[in-house]
Amino acid sequence: MAQTHPFYQAPSLNVETYDERTVANGTPIEGDVEFFVGQAREVGGPVLELGAGTGRVAWALAQAGFEVVGLELSQAMLARAEAKRATMPEAARKLARFVLGAMGDFQLEQTFALVIVPYRSFQVLTTPQDQRRCLECIHRHLRPGGRLIVNLFDPQLDRCLPDAPFPTQEQTVRHPTSGNTVKVEVVSHTNDPLRQVLTELWRFTEVNEAGDVLRQEEEVLTLRWTYRQEMHYLFELVGFEVEGEYSDFHGSPRAYGKEEVWVVRRP
Ligand SMILES: C[S@@+](CC[C@H](N)C(=O)[O-])C[C@H]1O[C@@H](n2cnc3c(N)ncnc32)[C@H](O)[C@@H]1O
């Protein structure tokens, strides 16, 4: 049987197909890259991205002319981000830097005008203490007047119940190098409403044209859902002022069950 790893943390089909699966058009994060580039144009760089992954956002910022540091916990994801360097224009290559580190506790010898935590990455912090420590770290790395943007999903309460019905989730993508089909399934989902933590088991199966299974891997995704008012209080506790609160990346007003896009400022 497949070995089970924490999400993204080992070289895997999950990591290899991340970019193919994260085509933002038509997804809840549609427009996020343009939004982050627009924010950088407003407040300037340098920009720090936490949980930078394959560099999907960081490289776009560098291509738009901003110095960017991408902090990432997974060596495997970091390697994907670095692999894109050779394909980037010379100017962008000089502007982007990726570092291995944990968003819950990091120390960089630099401060930033803008810190971003895209695509719900903040939700990997599964306790309020970890969330607070992360925000305190960000606060120390932001220049006075600097801006922080955090994206979370806004919890749909019926999906957070202890025995919430679990809808079948299945997706098929083409592997970017082998060209084979990769089937992605969420095979189990449990909620812990006390801790506000969901745990999902994802299975990735690579199949060739003849239908032979070449690889099968499983990864566990653990995320904490956070209510809006909790985020308000957390920001206040750590010394941030909320400037904007949206339900998507087009500036729509806050709304139940959509995205939480927080724009906050270090005074
Ligand atoms: C959903 S991906 C987002 C990647 C990228 N920001 C994007 O928008 O495409 C979440 C990323 O956060 C990383 N991550 C998970 N826990 C982390 C931690 N404690 N510190 C830093 N990065 C972490 C994962 O390895 C993964 O690359």
Side-chain angles (χ1 to χ4, degrees):
M1 191 54 228
Q3 236 192 323
T4 303
H5 293 285
F7 229 63
Y8 304 124
Q9 300 310 310
S12 61
L13 288 169
N14 186 15
V15 169
E16 289 157 26
T17 61
Y18 176 85
D19 286 330
E20 281 62 35
R21 287 180 293 113
T22 313
V23 180
N25 291 335
T27 76
I29 58 160
E30 193 263 315
D32 73 337
V33 172
E34 297 75 8
F35 177 83
F36 290 120
V37 170
Q39 289 287 319
R41 291 205 167 105
E42 262 182 44
V43 298
V47 183
L48 171 63
E49 181 184 1
L50 301 184
T54 60
R56 185 182 68 89
V57 180
W59 278 119
L61 286 162
Q63 283 180 289
F66 296 97
E67 185 190 340
V68 55
V69 175
L71 183 107
E72 168 58 48
L73 184 67
S74 158
Q75 287 270 18
M77 291 295 258
L78 215 55
R80 306 293 292 183
E82 274 301 341
K84 291 178 184 170
R85 189 174 297 279
T87 68
M88 291 291 151
E90 169 93 32
R93 269 187 249 164
K94 289 192 182 134
L95 289 170
R97 185 161 73 88
F98 294 94
V99 295
L100 193 64
M103 72 174 91
D105 187 13
F106 61 92
Q107 175 65 49
L108 303 170
E109 304 310 318
Q110 192 180 352
T111 56
F112 299 86
L114 177 64
V115 178
I116 61 173
V117 197
Y119 206 178
R120 306 166 170 179
S121 302
F122 188 76
Q123 297 187 242
V124 303
L125 303 169
T126 53
T127 68
Q129 292 78 11
D130 287 347
Q131 292 179 327
R132 179 176 175 177
R133 251 195 309 275
C134 172
L135 291 178
E136 285 168 348
C137 266
I138 295 172
H139 197 276
R140 282 198 295 276
H141 286 80
L142 258 183
R143 297 174 182 168
R147 193 174 277 178
L148 162 65
I149 299 165
V150 183
N151 167 217
L152 320 170
F153 67 72
D154 190 65
Q156 295 176 13
L157 298 184
D158 56 332
R159 296 181 67 174
C160 298
L161 299 170
D163 313 312
F166 165 64
T168 314
Q169 292 179 66
E170 207 177 294
Q171 190 188 2
T172 319
V173 288
R174 197 151 290 283
H175 192 284
T177 47
S178 71
N180 290 322
T181 298
V182 178
K183 190 161 92 169
V184 184
E185 304 156 272
V186 183
V187 292
S188 72
H189 176 113
T190 53
N191 289 325
D192 179 347
L194 185 65
R195 295 190 302 131
Q196 298 171 207
V197 170
L198 67 83
T199 307
E200 289 184 338
L201 182 66
W202 288 49
R203 184 175 298 145
F204 301 81
T205 311
E206 181 175 1
V207 182
N208 66 12
E209 264 186 37
D212 308 315
V213 171
L214 305 180
R215 288 161 79 186
Q216 187 165 75
E217 298 161 0
E218 289 184 345
E219 297 196 9
V220 178
L221 177 65
T222 309
L223 297 177
R224 183 167 198 275
W225 68 82
T226 307
Y227 302 101
R228 284 185 182 276
Q229 193 57 41
E230 274 189 280
M231 285 307 290
H232 261 289
Y233 282 144
L234 261 178
F235 287 130
E236 192 181 319
L237 187 68
V238 176
F240 288 107
E241 284 173 2
V242 175
E243 287 188 320
E245 194 188 336
Y246 309 106
S247 61
D248 60 23
F249 290 96
H250 301 289
S252 302
R254 62 193 206 148
Y256 166 69
K258 299 198 171 174
E259 294 302 287
E260 295 182 16
V261 181
W262 294 93
V263 179
V264 307
R265 178 177 171 273
R266 175 184 167 167

